[in-house]
Amino acid sequence: MAELQDVTDISDNERVYRHLRREIIEGRYVPGERIVEARVADELAVSRTPVREAVRRLETEGLVITAHNRGAQVRPLTETDVADLYEARARLEGFMSELAARRAEPEDIRAIHAAAADFDQVVDEIDHGSVEGLRALLRANDRFHAALVSAGRADQVFRILATAVDMPLVFTAFQLYSLGELRRSGMFHRLIAEAVEARQPERAGRLMTEHVLQGRDAHLRHFRQSQREPESA
């Protein structure tokens, strides 16, 4: 659940990796699109070596696949893939929320409440149609979920969860959300924080599961709408 980061004052390898990762997460490289090494190298004024290294790292994260005779491309997703990824994440984060409700220390609870309040503030203040606004939402959302996971004190489970949180899906969900849906997301954050503070693990887990599946529902609506549009054109 790493945040998007700036790409200045770092090595070429890291700069290319962060650039490509951001381009994929924010949808400027669409699923199935090829990543042409020469084009990326020219764009960023580097050799092909850092581009190859970045592609390898992105492949290990599951954002890129390498197909025979086609080279590297952004991993395509079917409707079933999206549903499965969200289901896996919902179960894992629901479990981590239960652990947080059992194990959180007072400072953890304060951090979770503060992160929930910060998310609400970002929702109220940003330009929802801008990339910078979406990035701010992503950072605020990441802080809340990271605070909750930290309170669960289960490092091994966190490592599994980190591979299940699909950042392009999270970013796209925020693009698809209406203002009302963003505020509903903030409401879930507050309710989860209250359940953790009240030591109600089952309630915290149920709320988190429903919260994560809110993103799934937005994506599946988008999938089905996009499939209908060509038929009506």
Side-chain angles (χ1 to χ4, degrees):
M1 296 185 289
E3 296 179 8
L4 299 179
Q5 297 170 304
D6 292 332
V7 293
T8 55
D9 301 325
I10 52 177
S11 70
D12 283 347
N13 283 5
E14 189 68 16
R15 181 164 63 92
V16 174
Y17 162 73
R18 294 187 189 182
H19 169 80
L20 284 176
R21 187 173 185 273
R22 173 171 274 178
E23 295 289 286
I24 293 168
I25 287 173
E26 296 182 355
R28 285 182 290 276
Y29 276 100
V30 299
E33 183 175 352
R34 289 184 62 210
I35 298 174
V36 181
E37 288 183 5
R39 187 186 305 157
V40 176
D42 288 344
E43 179 186 353
L44 299 180
V46 297
S47 71
R48 290 193 184 188
T49 300
V51 179
R52 292 191 194 103
E53 178 59 30
V55 167
R56 280 195 291 269
R57 289 178 65 182
L58 293 166
E59 191 171 10
T60 64
E61 292 181 23
L63 296 178
V64 166
I65 61 171
T66 302
H68 184 60
N69 292 331
R70 280 187 54 83
Q73 60 178 302
V74 179
R75 173 215 54 201
L77 285 176
T78 66
E79 185 175 331
T80 300
D81 292 332
V82 171
D84 289 346
L85 282 166
Y86 268 108
E87 183 69 27
R89 180 188 165 195
R91 293 188 184 201
L92 285 167
E93 285 214 62
F95 177 57
M96 287 300 290
S97 299
E98 292 178 19
L99 293 181
R102 294 188 179 102
R103 299 174 178 176
E105 299 292 338
E107 62 269 21
D108 297 317
I109 293 169
R110 286 192 293 270
I112 293 167
H113 277 294
D118 287 346
F119 182 88
D120 287 340
Q121 183 175 352
V122 170
V123 168
D124 288 339
E125 292 180 353
I126 63 163
D127 173 4
H128 298 91
S130 72
V131 172
E132 286 304 321
L134 290 168
R135 289 173 182 168
L137 275 173
L138 193 68
R139 289 192 295 269
N141 186 68
D142 191 69
R143 285 194 294 272
F144 174 79
H145 287 266
L148 199 69
V149 167
S150 176
R153 289 173 170 75
D155 291 345
Q156 298 304 317
V157 179
F158 168 72
R159 290 187 180 93
I160 299 170
L161 175 60
T163 66
V165 177
D166 191 276
M167 294 302 288
L169 289 182
V170 176
F171 191 89
T172 304
F174 283 137
Q175 287 179 308
L176 297 172
Y177 281 175
S178 65
L179 179 58
E181 286 171 316
L182 288 172
R183 286 179 171 154
R184 183 169 182 257
S185 196
M187 177 197 72
F188 271 112
H189 290 174
R190 294 191 300 276
L191 290 173
I192 292 164
E194 290 169 5
V196 169
E197 184 173 20
R199 304 297 183 191
Q200 298 174 327
E202 291 80 11
R203 180 167 178 259
R206 285 196 305 270
L207 286 166
M208 178 57 78
T209 298
E210 186 176 352
H211 171 50
V212 171
L213 294 182
Q214 179 188 4
R216 178 204 61 187
D217 294 344
H219 272 282
L220 295 185
R221 283 196 306 270
H222 178 67
F223 257 107
R224 289 157 190 165
Q225 180 181 354
S226 64
Q227 288 171 349
R228 286 195 301 268
E229 285 173 353
E231 296 172 3
S232 59

